[in-house]
Amino acid sequence: MGHLQVIVSIDSRDDAERIGRALVGARLVACFQVIGPMSSIYRWKGEIEQAEEWLCLAKTTTERFDELRERLVVLHPYENPEIIATPIVAGHADYLQWISAETAPAVRS
């Protein structure tokens, strides 16, 4: 099982925390960290823009990424949200096992 760190940026701390709670609650991520605010400068629809944003780092598995990406697109207020997944190539074995355990789909009885 592979592990990923997923980067997402958003323009509201409240939205970041709302999304983080939804993703952890759905077991799509084990952890959703909110960092910021930060200043983003970018080109959008032919114009240079600047905005205050929060950077979010989500920990998940490669198996859960497609569902995570789909859910983020629905929950995120941006027309074209930043969703970038980076493989975790090494880490503390117990931490990586924790990510796997916390993102395993819930067993229904």
Side-chain angles (χ1 to χ4, degrees), residues 14-26 29 31-32 34 75:
D14 289 342
D15 278 345
E17 291 175 355
R18 173 185 58 80
I19 290 170
R21 287 187 176 282
L23 297 176
V24 171
V29 302
C31 175
F32 193 87
V34 179
L75 293 172

Side-chain angles (χ1 to χ4, degrees), residues 57-101:
L57 305 175
K59 305 334 182 274
T60 193
T61 60
T62 54
E63 290 79 7
R64 300 293 277 171
F65 178 72
D66 289 341
E67 189 177 352
L68 168 60
R69 182 184 56 229
E70 290 171 13
R71 188 73 172 273
L72 272 169
V73 168
V74 169
L75 293 172
H76 204 291
Y78 288 5
E79 180 181 336
N80 186 20
E82 172 186 17
I83 303 169
I84 299 172
T86 303
I88 299 173
V89 296
H92 179 55
D94 290 346
Y95 183 77
L96 299 177
Q97 177 54 40
W98 172 78
I99 293 172
S100 298

